[in-house]
C-alpha cells in the first residue's frame, strides 16, 4: 500500500514482520557481524583488552592513562572495564 515511511514501518510492526529478538540478523547470522579484532576499525587486540581490564582491576592506572597508552578515548576504556563492549573477552 502507498504511504509514508512511518506508515510502512507501523504496518510492518503491526503484522509482526520486524526482525526482532531471535529473528534479528545479529542472532541468526552472527558471522556477518565481526566482533573484536575481526572488525575493520578495531584499534585494540584481545590481548590489549585483557591487559586493560587487569590493570584497571588492580588499580594500577586510571581510564585516562590507559586511554593515552592505547590511543583510544577514556570512554572506550570505561566501557571495556564495565564489560559493556568486548564482552567475548574474558
Amino acid at each position: 500500500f502507498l504511504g509514508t515511511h512511518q506508515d510502512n514501518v507501523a504496518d510492518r510492526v503491526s503484522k509482526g514482520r520486524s526482525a526482532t529478538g531471535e529473528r534479528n540478523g545479529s542472532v541468526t547470522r552472527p558471522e556477518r557481524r565481526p566482533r573484536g579484532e575481526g572488525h575493520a576499525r578495531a584499534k585494540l587486540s584481545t590481548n590489549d583488552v585483557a591487559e586493560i581490564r587487569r590493570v584497571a582491576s588492580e588499580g594500577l592506572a586510571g581510564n585516562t592513562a590507559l586511554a593515552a597508552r592505547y590511543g583510544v578515548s577514556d570512554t572506550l576504556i570505561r566501557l571495556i572495564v564495565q564489560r559493556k563492549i568486548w564482552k567475548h573477552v574474558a
Side-chain angles (χ1 to χ4, degrees), residues 2 37 44 55 63 78:
L2 288 178
E37 291 180 73
L44 301 172
V55 169
N63 291 354
R78 178 178 48 83

Side-chain angles (χ1 to χ4, degrees), residues 2-22:
L2 288 178
T4 65
H5 178 67
Q6 186 175 2
D7 293 336
N8 290 333
V9 170
D11 186 51
R12 179 188 74 205
V13 171
S14 71
K15 293 179 179 176
R17 296 181 180 158
S18 296
T20 60
E22 294 298 314

Side-chain angles (χ1 to χ4, degrees), residues 44 52 61-77:
L44 301 172
I52 288 168
N63 291 354
T64 305
L66 287 169
R69 183 185 309 172
Y70 289 98
V72 295
S73 70
D74 56 336
T75 301
L76 181 67
I77 298 295

Side-chain angles (χ1 to χ4, degrees), residues 21-85:
E22 294 298 314
R23 293 176 41 211
N24 188 307
S26 64
V27 174
T28 59
R29 301 280 187 155
E31 70 279 1
R32 292 187 179 179
R33 306 239 2 207
R35 308 258 186 228
E37 291 180 73
H39 195 281
R41 295 180 62 189
K43 291 184 176 182
L44 301 172
S45 68
T46 302
N47 292 335
D48 292 339
V49 171
E51 179 69 10
I52 288 168
R53 288 188 178 144
R54 185 189 67 76
V55 169
S57 69
E58 293 176 3
L60 301 176
N63 291 354
T64 305
L66 287 169
R69 183 185 309 172
Y70 289 98
V72 295
S73 70
D74 56 336
T75 301
L76 181 67
I77 298 295
R78 178 178 48 83
L79 294 173
I80 289 170
V81 171
Q82 292 175 345
R83 296 186 182 275
K84 292 190 176 188
I85 58 175

